[in-house]
Amino acid sequence: MANAPLTQTTGRRKEAVARAVLRAGSGKIVVNGKPIEAYFTTATQRMVVTEALRVTSRETSYDITANIYGGGVTGQAGALRMAIARSLVELDPESRPVLKKAGLLTRDARRKETKKY
């Protein structure tokens, strides 16, 4: 089985849900069928998504395919970041303390406050 998925994990942030599949590869990231540059247009969003890979210095170790739905673009970036961090822990439990210290494994539970009339 060539290029079989190593892990598949879910990350959530606000209303966004991201499913990330990590495969051994060269660092290519595809989100909803588009390259990361086309999906996340700002450098800040791309930086948020790749933060877990940078912290563990594995930017070029894995190819990532992600499906994201719900929420806005910033929430989606945060959800994908969490999914990638969870996958990295699944593949290498030794990286857990580093990712935990960077706050990448904690679900950000903040939501939009309801309107008060």
Side-chain angles (χ1 to χ4, degrees), residues 45-63:
Q45 292 161 350
R46 290 193 294 270
M47 191 183 75
V48 166
V49 168
T50 57
E51 190 175 351
L53 296 168
R54 271 198 319 280
V55 167
T56 56
S57 53
R58 294 215 171 88
E59 291 101 323
T60 56
S61 304
Y62 303 108
D63 285 346

Side-chain angles (χ1 to χ4, degrees), residues 3-4 10 20 29 31 33 38 61 65-66 71 82 86 92 96 104 112:
N3 217 3
T10 305
I29 302 175
V31 181
S61 304
T65 309
M82 182 183 198
R86 284 179 167 175
D92 178 21
R96 186 178 169 84
L104 301 177
K112 187 170 162 248

Side-chain angles (χ1 to χ4, degrees), residues 53-117:
L53 296 168
R54 271 198 319 280
V55 167
T56 56
S57 53
R58 294 215 171 88
E59 291 101 323
T60 56
S61 304
Y62 303 108
D63 285 346
I64 299 167
T65 309
N67 287 325
I68 309 178
Y69 61 92
V73 187
T74 306
Q76 290 182 347
L80 183 52
R81 175 177 74 171
M82 182 183 198
I84 292 170
R86 284 179 167 175
S87 285
L88 290 172
V89 168
E90 223 172 89
L91 293 169
D92 178 21
E94 262 82 273
S95 64
R96 186 178 169 84
V98 179
L99 291 166
K100 189 80 175 157
K101 190 170 189 294
L104 301 177
L105 296 175
T106 309
R107 161 88 156 90
D108 190 341
R110 293 177 297 173
R111 291 209 176 276
K112 187 170 162 248
E113 194 173 340
T114 57
K115 292 268 193 286
K116 308 293 187 291
Y117 294 106

